[in-house]
Amino acid sequence: TPCGTKEMDHMSPRLRAFLSEPIGEKDVCWVDGISHELAINLVTKGINKAYILLGQFLLMHKNEAEFQRWLICCCGATECEAQQSSNCLKEWCACFL
């Protein structure tokens, strides 16, 4: 995997799985922190793929606080979901960008 195993030790299995390979065409529900309900809200907004959600994160200049506010206010995420998913995308960027 692109990430070293030392950093991977503290991660949830879902986050580890997401970071183990490029995003490709994965559905948005693959992103750690995205619940079934939040995925439905995102798909309704046209964000059906993980790479589209990553694009939004990148458009916000990888600003986790801004991304989390957007997820909570515009997409109905909980604070926990917003933190988990922004961390997931941040970690993915650290591995692949």
Side-chain angles (χ1 to χ4, degrees):
T1 62
C3 285
T5 52
K6 200 165 185 64
E7 301 91 29
M8 300 285 269
D9 288 347
H10 69 281
M11 297 177 182
S12 72
R14 190 171 169 195
L15 178 56
R16 204 172 303 132
F18 189 78
L19 296 179
S20 68
E21 58 190 12
I23 285 180
E25 292 292 321
K26 286 182 183 156
D27 290 330
V28 73
C29 60
W30 276 79
V31 178
D32 190 35
I34 304 294
S35 66
H36 180 70
E37 295 77 18
L38 181 53
I40 291 169
N41 293 350
L42 289 166
V43 168
T44 303
K45 295 183 175 299
I47 302 169
N48 63 326
K49 298 290 184 183
Y51 70 81
I52 302 172
L53 191 62
L54 174 66
Q56 184 66 42
F57 182 68
L58 295 175
L59 282 171
M60 294 178 168
H61 302 249
K62 297 189 271 187
N63 181 323
E64 286 188 86
E66 186 181 349
F67 181 76
Q68 289 173 22
R69 275 194 303 276
W70 171 79
L71 264 183
I72 292 167
C73 297
C74 300
C75 306
T78 66
E79 204 168 309
C80 182
E81 288 171 331
Q83 287 172 353
Q84 263 185 288
S85 54
S86 70
N87 181 62
C88 178
L89 295 175
K90 178 192 74 173
E91 295 284 351
W92 191 91
C93 288
C95 290
F96 290 97
L97 291 185

